[in-house]
Amino acid sequence: YQTSTYTQEGVGQHKGYEYARGANPTRAALETCLAALENARFGLAFGSGMAAEAAVLNLLSSGDHVVSMEDLYGGTYRLFEKVLRRYGIEFTYVDAREPANVEAALQPNTRMVWVETPANPLLQLVDIAAVAGITKSRGIPLVVDSTFCSPYLQNPLDLGADIVVHSTTKYLGGHSDLIGGAAAMNDEVIYRTVKFHQNSVGGVPGPFDCWLVQRGIKTLALRMEAHCKNGMEVAGFLSGHPRVMAVYYPGLESHPQFELAKRQMRGFGGMLAFEMEGGLEAAKEVLSRTRILALAESLGGVESLIGHPATMSHVAMPPEERLSRGITDGLIRLSVGIEDVEDLIEDLGQAIG
């Protein structure tokens, strides 16, 4: 429904739609689908992943405190530090791989706990059920960014989270041809508050972008199976390469949270990161030499992308913060696509040398 407004039958008599910022039939269909995918009562679609995050964070007020994990998407960190701190909201960052660290950071004014799992870019995992056990007893909403998994591989609400957010730009859309975001939840009070801000602030998607996400969802299962298969094979290749110092992929038995990944996720996904021997110069050499893997921002499309977190996805994070969190200049992130995996491995092999 490519329209901004709707004909009304009379004054005060409409058919459920008045103005497209508030509601659109195509968006409503997508929101119903998103809720179903996350086993949620309510789903909401947004103009970007950041718009979804901003709407959820509007649950907070000045003076509130948020506990967030350290391994965090740079854009989320920027929203926390450069926008919300100006409004008097406080943030504490912890290593959330250990739930006790989350509990220890809670304050009397803590009103939200925010985690990504798997996290961007080091693929750290958070035990959602364990953290939810801490937050629920205190009435603190737990928000999980599950973008790296998509609903096909993980359903945080089933594990006790209160809100799950996605950048639908990524795996849900799946073709690198749209910008969008989503949030899903079961609590009606939370839903109505976030929906109020969806309309009032206006970060909504257009109907064609909603249609594109719906189109992408039709092949989500097939694509995610291919991403998982290729991701595992690429991670295995990199873990055996002499110039690669470390590989971060939850499907490898060497990943310190491998058992949690098997328990919490239905597959290990297509995202991984690796550390090059030789630091920044070695990383730049690899990034300049790939022929199939495209040097580009974003992730989750059918094509393979290669990126440098320190200068791309996490450039908004101060260098000292990046280093303290393990995001070194030699770190390379891969979004492994669905191409022939032998071609991808050959391309990485010639680029690494």
Side-chain angles (χ1 to χ4, degrees):
Y1 287 79
Q2 192 69 44
T3 184
S4 61
T5 192
Y6 308 89
T7 302
Q8 301 188 21
E9 294 180 337
V11 177
Q13 297 178 331
H14 61 79
K15 306 168 190 175
Y17 297 95
E18 300 173 83
Y19 184 59
R21 188 184 69 248
N24 175 278
T26 310
R27 190 170 91 224
L30 173 60
E31 291 175 333
T32 299
C33 181
L34 292 168
L37 288 173
E38 286 291 5
N39 301 320
R41 291 179 64 198
F42 308 107
L44 291 167
F46 295 88
S48 69
M50 295 311 303
E53 291 190 8
V56 168
L57 288 157
N58 270 310
L59 291 166
L60 303 170
S61 299
S62 180
D64 289 347
H65 173 252
V66 178
V67 176
S68 170
M69 71 184 300
E70 291 177 336
D71 192 12
L72 190 70
Y73 167 52
T76 303
Y77 176 87
R78 179 176 56 213
L79 177 62
F80 289 175
E81 293 296 319
K82 302 295 185 182
V83 179
L84 295 176
R85 276 200 189 272
R86 294 191 290 109
Y87 300 152
I89 298 173
E90 304 171 16
F91 295 88
T92 298
Y93 300 96
V94 301
D95 183 346
R97 289 174 292 183
E98 177 50 63
N101 293 337
V102 175
E103 186 169 26
L106 297 177
Q107 301 176 8
N109 62 333
T110 301
R111 296 294 180 266
M112 184 176 289
V113 172
W114 187 286
V115 301
E116 295 177 14
T117 183
N120 186 358
L122 294 173
L123 283 298
Q124 293 179 3
L125 305 185
V126 176
D127 188 331
I128 297 171
V131 174
I134 295 168
T135 58
K136 281 193 181 303
S137 64
R138 294 165 172 82
I140 300 171
L142 171 61
V143 183
V144 176
D145 183 339
S146 192
T147 295
F148 272 22
C149 271
S150 86
Y152 185 72
L153 300 182
Q154 178 174 270
N155 294 118
L157 300 184
D158 290 350
L159 297 170
D162 298 283
I163 305 170
V164 56
V165 297
H166 291 277
S167 169
T168 58
T169 310
K170 313 305 194 296
Y171 287 110
L172 283 160
H175 294 79
S176 302
D177 55 7
L178 66 98
I179 299 290
M185 63 287 292
N186 287 315
D187 184 279
E188 186 169 359
V189 174
I190 290 176
Y191 164 70
R192 292 194 179 281
T193 303
V194 178
K195 183 174 175 58
F196 171 82
H197 285 92
Q198 178 197 47
N199 178 51
S200 299
V201 180
V204 296
F208 185 64
D209 283 342
C210 291
W211 183 87
L212 287 172
V213 178
Q214 290 178 319
R215 177 212 57 181
I217 288 171
K218 292 176 182 177
T219 60
L220 179 64
L222 296 173
R223 290 185 287 104
M224 293 311 296
E225 291 290 343
H227 286 300
C228 289
K229 178 178 180 295
N230 284 2
M232 180 67 80
E233 293 196 37
V234 169
F237 164 74
L238 290 170
S239 64
H241 198 288
R243 293 195 64 201
V244 174
M245 299 169 59
V247 179
Y248 305 97
Y249 182 70
L252 294 176
E253 292 187 22
S254 59
H255 193 288
Q257 296 172 290
F258 175 65
E259 292 300 323
L260 174 60
K262 288 197 300 181
R263 183 171 74 250
Q264 187 166 272
M265 301 160 61
R266 291 184 288 270
F268 304 117
M271 296 302 302
L272 62 91
F274 64 98
E275 185 82 28
M276 277 298 300
E277 180 184 58
L280 178 60
E281 291 308 313
K284 287 170 66 175
E285 180 182 354
V286 173
L287 294 163
S288 67
R289 293 180 60 179
T290 57
R291 297 192 293 259
I292 297 176
L293 289 98
L295 177 62
E297 298 275 4
S298 199
L299 59 101
V302 293
E303 64 288 308
S304 293
L305 303 180
I306 188 168
H308 187 236
T311 59
M312 297 172 76
S313 61
H314 289 69
V315 70
M317 193 175 286
E320 62 275 11
E321 284 289 330
R322 290 198 301 266
L323 288 173
S324 71
R325 299 173 189 210
I327 305 172
T328 67
D329 288 344
L331 186 72
I332 293 174
R333 193 189 73 180
L334 298 183
S335 175
V336 181
I338 67 171
E339 304 94 339
D340 188 290
V341 72
E342 292 181 1
D343 290 342
L344 297 177
I345 289 173
E346 181 182 359
D347 192 30
L348 279 169
Q350 63 83 26
I352 295 173

